[in-house]
Amino acid sequence: MATPARDLRRGTVVRYAVGSVGTGGFGTLPGLVLLIYMTNTLGVSPAFAGAAFTISKIWDVIIDPWIGARSDRSLARTGARRRFMVLGAILLPVFFVLTFAVPPGLPPLLSAAWVLVAFLLAATAFSLFQVPYIALPAELVDSYDARTRLLSARVIVLTLAILAFGGGAPEIIALVVDNGGTEYLGYLAMAAVAGLVFLVAFLIASTVERSARVDRTPTAPGSDPIEGIAAPKTGMFMHFRRGWSAVRDSQPYRALLFTFVLQALAIGLMLAGVAYVAADVLHLEGTLFLFLSLIAPAMLVTPLWSVISRRIGKERAFRLATVLFGLAALSLVLLVWFPGLWLYGPVALAGAAYAGLQSLPLAMLPDTVAYDAETHGPGRAGTFSGVWTAGETAGLAFGGTILSIVLAVTGFIPTVADQTVTQPASAIVGIILGFSVIPALLMFVSLISLARYPLRKADIDRLVRHADAPPPSAAPVA
């Protein structure tokens, strides 16, 4: 049942955006430090490290649609998704710290198994928060442009979080090592600080649901679910089928999802390669300046993408951001012949485009949810966000998997803590290709699915007008 549009309050925007402090951190750190932690501190071969990434993301693809469907059921029966978000906020810090608590001296295979199990639990806890969090914009606001405003604020916070975590995590590790600690202790300290930030940010964001536009009241056990929203009692397999039926049924959602997953794969590949480019190609002490060159432009131009989308539409602005990012990534292949600090220029251009790649598809996602509610009935926002989160996390992590395969094929030499080696020229070329050509190709391929996205501003405005229209009055009594 459609509900009238409501104004987007500043407090709602702020509390929702705060959640991206944590989502940006967890989205950044595994791709940035987990692979190099396994290959350069635990002595795990790139092939085994990549396998651990792959297994964990296969689990995400399975669990996220189930969490989304359960979140929809909770919304229908109790009027809230919040309990999932709070549970994820509490559990994630514990399991994230365990991921980086591998005892020194364990054999590489046992170390890889430890990381895999702990990271599987951390990823599950993150999904408990992230899936309902992604579903909320469709319930917070109706307007095509207001959704862009809500998600633009989130992306500004997200880029700040990526900068803070991406630049700060290596600095915390280095600080511990410089003061006499081991690399193992440095990673553990980094994880503890990050876990505390996750907890605070997620708990703040979990309060935003009280401002959700959908007016629902809890239903008593055994009573009918909220009007228009089914809450069937089904197992994990049925929830999984429901998630993928949403992909099959909604062409706008399917086109947007495929585009976003391909781009997450490209971004995850570049993110995993940052530490290797800094250490093995440029021989830098850290990654802080690389992250500054990426994130500073993103923070500056995020509001600009909102303006551009209002002028030409979200889908055209999204296409422009994709092309800019692809061209910037492709130009970095010149590092093979001319390694140097000139790369900060293309990285800055990629950062400006990255702001659009984050804010625009997330602003388009609630539009696909609203369109699906109009054409197939309400009640699948959590299902959509579950599949979306599975695709995003899988894409980001499979980027690390692709890089690990490239490193293994090109002869990268793994090391343990405090050990240094000179990588062969073939491995250096592999690092650069994984940081440039392969992400660029993925970006350009994503334009094919983006071209099939059909929704425009007029379509969403029509849905809002329909929601605001008063019900037809009863015929007068003779």
Side-chain angles (χ1 to χ4, degrees), residues 125-141:
F126 177 69
S127 293
L128 287 171
F129 175 86
Q130 172 82 338
V131 171
Y133 178 70
I134 291 293
L136 284 180
E139 295 153 12
L140 292 171
V141 65

PDB file of all heavy atoms in Angstrom, residues 125-141:
ATOM      1  N   ALA A 125      28.343 -10.894  10.514  1.00  0.00           N
ATOM      2  CA  ALA A 125      27.918  -9.822  11.419  1.00  0.00           C
ATOM      3  C   ALA A 125      27.741  -8.511  10.660  1.00  0.00           C
ATOM      4  O   ALA A 125      26.773  -7.762  10.890  1.00  0.00           O
ATOM      5  CB  ALA A 125      28.937  -9.651  12.551  1.00  0.00           C
ATOM      6  N   PHE A 126      28.647  -8.221   9.745  1.00  0.00           N
ATOM      7  CA  PHE A 126      28.528  -7.002   8.948  1.00  0.00           C
ATOM      8  C   PHE A 126      27.246  -7.019   8.114  1.00  0.00           C
ATOM      9  O   PHE A 126      26.543  -6.007   8.007  1.00  0.00           O
ATOM     10  CB  PHE A 126      29.740  -6.853   8.036  1.00  0.00           C
ATOM     11  CG  PHE A 126      29.678  -5.660   7.116  1.00  0.00           C
ATOM     12  CD1 PHE A 126      29.776  -4.373   7.611  1.00  0.00           C
ATOM     13  CD2 PHE A 126      29.514  -5.836   5.754  1.00  0.00           C
ATOM     14  CE1 PHE A 126      29.714  -3.272   6.764  1.00  0.00           C
ATOM     15  CE2 PHE A 126      29.458  -4.748   4.894  1.00  0.00           C
ATOM     16  CZ  PHE A 126      29.555  -3.464   5.402  1.00  0.00           C
ATOM     17  N   SER A 127      26.925  -8.164   7.535  1.00  0.00           N
ATOM     18  CA  SER A 127      25.709  -8.263   6.722  1.00  0.00           C
ATOM     19  C   SER A 127      24.458  -8.044   7.552  1.00  0.00           C
ATOM     20  O   SER A 127      23.466  -7.500   7.052  1.00  0.00           O
ATOM     21  CB  SER A 127      25.651  -9.632   6.037  1.00  0.00           C
ATOM     22  OG  SER A 127      26.693  -9.763   5.082  1.00  0.00           O
ATOM     23  N   LEU A 128      24.468  -8.461   8.812  1.00  0.00           N
ATOM     24  CA  LEU A 128      23.315  -8.239   9.680  1.00  0.00           C
ATOM     25  C   LEU A 128      23.003  -6.749   9.801  1.00  0.00           C
ATOM     26  O   LEU A 128      21.840  -6.352   9.923  1.00  0.00           O
ATOM     27  CB  LEU A 128      23.566  -8.830  11.064  1.00  0.00           C
ATOM     28  CG  LEU A 128      23.520 -10.355  11.156  1.00  0.00           C
ATOM     29  CD1 LEU A 128      24.004 -10.807  12.528  1.00  0.00           C
ATOM     30  CD2 LEU A 128      22.115 -10.875  10.889  1.00  0.00           C
ATOM     31  N   PHE A 129      24.040  -5.928   9.771  1.00  0.00           N
ATOM     32  CA  PHE A 129      23.824  -4.482   9.789  1.00  0.00           C
ATOM     33  C   PHE A 129      23.589  -3.931   8.392  1.00  0.00           C
ATOM     34  O   PHE A 129      22.637  -3.190   8.148  1.00  0.00           O
ATOM     35  CB  PHE A 129      25.016  -3.758  10.415  1.00  0.00           C
ATOM     36  CG  PHE A 129      24.883  -2.257  10.337  1.00  0.00           C
ATOM     37  CD1 PHE A 129      24.193  -1.562  11.308  1.00  0.00           C
ATOM     38  CD2 PHE A 129      25.423  -1.539   9.271  1.00  0.00           C
ATOM     39  CE1 PHE A 129      24.031  -0.185  11.222  1.00  0.00           C
ATOM     40  CE2 PHE A 129      25.275  -0.163   9.174  1.00  0.00           C
ATOM     41  CZ  PHE A 129      24.577   0.511  10.167  1.00  0.00           C
ATOM     42  N   GLN A 130      24.443  -4.284   7.465  1.00  0.00           N
ATOM     43  CA  GLN A 130      24.467  -3.630   6.158  1.00  0.00           C
ATOM     44  C   GLN A 130      23.211  -3.878   5.340  1.00  0.00           C
ATOM     45  O   GLN A 130      22.710  -2.974   4.665  1.00  0.00           O
ATOM     46  CB  GLN A 130      25.705  -4.114   5.383  1.00  0.00           C
ATOM     47  CG  GLN A 130      25.774  -3.682   3.925  1.00  0.00           C
ATOM     48  CD  GLN A 130      26.313  -2.279   3.742  1.00  0.00           C
ATOM     49  OE1 GLN A 130      26.266  -1.471   4.665  1.00  0.00           O
ATOM     50  NE2 GLN A 130      26.833  -1.999   2.560  1.00  0.00           N
ATOM     51  N   VAL A 131      22.682  -5.077   5.377  1.00  0.00           N
ATOM     52  CA  VAL A 131      21.530  -5.398   4.530  1.00  0.00           C
ATOM     53  C   VAL A 131      20.312  -4.539   4.882  1.00  0.00           C
ATOM     54  O   VAL A 131      19.742  -3.881   4.007  1.00  0.00           O
ATOM     55  CB  VAL A 131      21.219  -6.901   4.590  1.00  0.00           C
ATOM     56  CG1 VAL A 131      19.891  -7.203   3.898  1.00  0.00           C
ATOM     57  CG2 VAL A 131      22.338  -7.705   3.939  1.00  0.00           C
ATOM     58  N   PRO A 132      19.875  -4.499   6.146  1.00  0.00           N
ATOM     59  CA  PRO A 132      18.752  -3.592   6.453  1.00  0.00           C
ATOM     60  C   PRO A 132      19.116  -2.123   6.309  1.00  0.00           C
ATOM     61  O   PRO A 132      18.256  -1.296   5.968  1.00  0.00           O
ATOM     62  CB  PRO A 132      18.390  -3.946   7.906  1.00  0.00           C
ATOM     63  CG  PRO A 132      19.551  -4.666   8.453  1.00  0.00           C
ATOM     64  CD  PRO A 132      20.213  -5.344   7.300  1.00  0.00           C
ATOM     65  N   TYR A 133      20.372  -1.770   6.533  1.00  0.00           N
ATOM     66  CA  TYR A 133      20.816  -0.378   6.378  1.00  0.00           C
ATOM     67  C   TYR A 133      20.631   0.091   4.943  1.00  0.00           C
ATOM     68  O   TYR A 133      20.162   1.206   4.693  1.00  0.00           O
ATOM     69  CB  TYR A 133      22.284  -0.296   6.803  1.00  0.00           C
ATOM     70  CG  TYR A 133      22.926   1.061   6.659  1.00  0.00           C
ATOM     71  CD1 TYR A 133      22.572   2.117   7.488  1.00  0.00           C
ATOM     72  CD2 TYR A 133      23.926   1.276   5.713  1.00  0.00           C
ATOM     73  CE1 TYR A 133      23.186   3.358   7.375  1.00  0.00           C
ATOM     74  CE2 TYR A 133      24.548   2.510   5.588  1.00  0.00           C
ATOM     75  CZ  TYR A 133      24.174   3.550   6.419  1.00  0.00           C
ATOM     76  OH  TYR A 133      24.786   4.770   6.305  1.00  0.00           O
ATOM     77  N   ILE A 134      20.973  -0.761   3.979  1.00  0.00           N
ATOM     78  CA  ILE A 134      20.813  -0.414   2.571  1.00  0.00           C
ATOM     79  C   ILE A 134      19.340  -0.329   2.186  1.00  0.00           C
ATOM     80  O   ILE A 134      18.947   0.435   1.300  1.00  0.00           O
ATOM     81  CB  ILE A 134      21.533  -1.458   1.691  1.00  0.00           C
ATOM     82  CG1 ILE A 134      23.055  -1.341   1.857  1.00  0.00           C
ATOM     83  CG2 ILE A 134      21.178  -1.285   0.224  1.00  0.00           C
ATOM     84  CD1 ILE A 134      23.638  -0.072   1.320  1.00  0.00           C
ATOM     85  N   ALA A 135      18.497  -1.098   2.879  1.00  0.00           N
ATOM     86  CA  ALA A 135      17.068  -1.102   2.556  1.00  0.00           C
ATOM     87  C   ALA A 135      16.353   0.159   3.027  1.00  0.00           C
ATOM     88  O   ALA A 135      15.284   0.496   2.510  1.00  0.00           O
ATOM     89  CB  ALA A 135      16.393  -2.331   3.172  1.00  0.00           C
ATOM     90  N   LEU A 136      16.896   0.857   4.013  1.00  0.00           N
ATOM     91  CA  LEU A 136      16.179   1.951   4.655  1.00  0.00           C
ATOM     92  C   LEU A 136      15.838   3.142   3.751  1.00  0.00           C
ATOM     93  O   LEU A 136      14.776   3.745   3.922  1.00  0.00           O
ATOM     94  CB  LEU A 136      16.970   2.449   5.872  1.00  0.00           C
ATOM     95  CG  LEU A 136      16.910   1.557   7.111  1.00  0.00           C
ATOM     96  CD1 LEU A 136      17.742   2.159   8.239  1.00  0.00           C
ATOM     97  CD2 LEU A 136      15.463   1.366   7.577  1.00  0.00           C
ATOM     98  N   PRO A 137      16.695   3.573   2.808  1.00  0.00           N
ATOM     99  CA  PRO A 137      16.350   4.772   2.031  1.00  0.00           C
ATOM    100  C   PRO A 137      14.996   4.700   1.339  1.00  0.00           C
ATOM    101  O   PRO A 137      14.300   5.715   1.227  1.00  0.00           O
ATOM    102  CB  PRO A 137      17.491   4.870   1.018  1.00  0.00           C
ATOM    103  CG  PRO A 137      18.653   4.273   1.720  1.00  0.00           C
ATOM    104  CD  PRO A 137      18.071   3.134   2.510  1.00  0.00           C
ATOM    105  N   ALA A 138      14.601   3.520   0.881  1.00  0.00           N
ATOM    106  CA  ALA A 138      13.295   3.404   0.234  1.00  0.00           C
ATOM    107  C   ALA A 138      12.162   3.667   1.213  1.00  0.00           C
ATOM    108  O   ALA A 138      11.046   4.005   0.797  1.00  0.00           O
ATOM    109  CB  ALA A 138      13.136   2.008  -0.381  1.00  0.00           C
ATOM    110  N   GLU A 139      12.432   3.532   2.526  1.00  0.00           N
ATOM    111  CA  GLU A 139      11.415   3.737   3.546  1.00  0.00           C
ATOM    112  C   GLU A 139      11.555   5.088   4.241  1.00  0.00           C
ATOM    113  O   GLU A 139      10.641   5.521   4.940  1.00  0.00           O
ATOM    114  CB  GLU A 139      11.507   2.602   4.569  1.00  0.00           C
ATOM    115  CG  GLU A 139      11.166   1.247   3.957  1.00  0.00           C
ATOM    116  CD  GLU A 139      11.840   0.084   4.663  1.00  0.00           C
ATOM    117  OE1 GLU A 139      12.387   0.296   5.773  1.00  0.00           O
ATOM    118  OE2 GLU A 139      11.816  -1.035   4.111  1.00  0.00           O
ATOM    119  N   LEU A 140      12.670   5.749   4.037  1.00  0.00           N
ATOM    120  CA  LEU A 140      12.890   7.052   4.663  1.00  0.00           C
ATOM    121  C   LEU A 140      12.332   8.198   3.831  1.00  0.00           C
ATOM    122  O   LEU A 140      11.926   9.222   4.375  1.00  0.00           O
ATOM    123  CB  LEU A 140      14.390   7.272   4.904  1.00  0.00           C
ATOM    124  CG  LEU A 140      15.047   6.375   5.960  1.00  0.00           C
ATOM    125  CD1 LEU A 140      16.558   6.550   5.921  1.00  0.00           C
ATOM    126  CD2 LEU A 140      14.520   6.695   7.344  1.00  0.00           C
ATOM    127  N   VAL A 141      12.343   8.053   2.511  1.00  0.00           N
ATOM    128  CA  VAL A 141      11.955   9.174   1.651  1.00  0.00           C
ATOM    129  C   VAL A 141      11.471   8.638   0.302  1.00  0.00           C
ATOM    130  O   VAL A 141      11.905   7.580  -0.145  1.00  0.00           O
ATOM    131  CB  VAL A 141      13.148  10.138   1.460  1.00  0.00           C
ATOM    132  CG1 VAL A 141      14.279   9.482   0.705  1.00  0.00           C
ATOM    133  CG2 VAL A 141      12.717  11.431   0.808  1.00  0.00           C
TER     134      VAL A 141
END
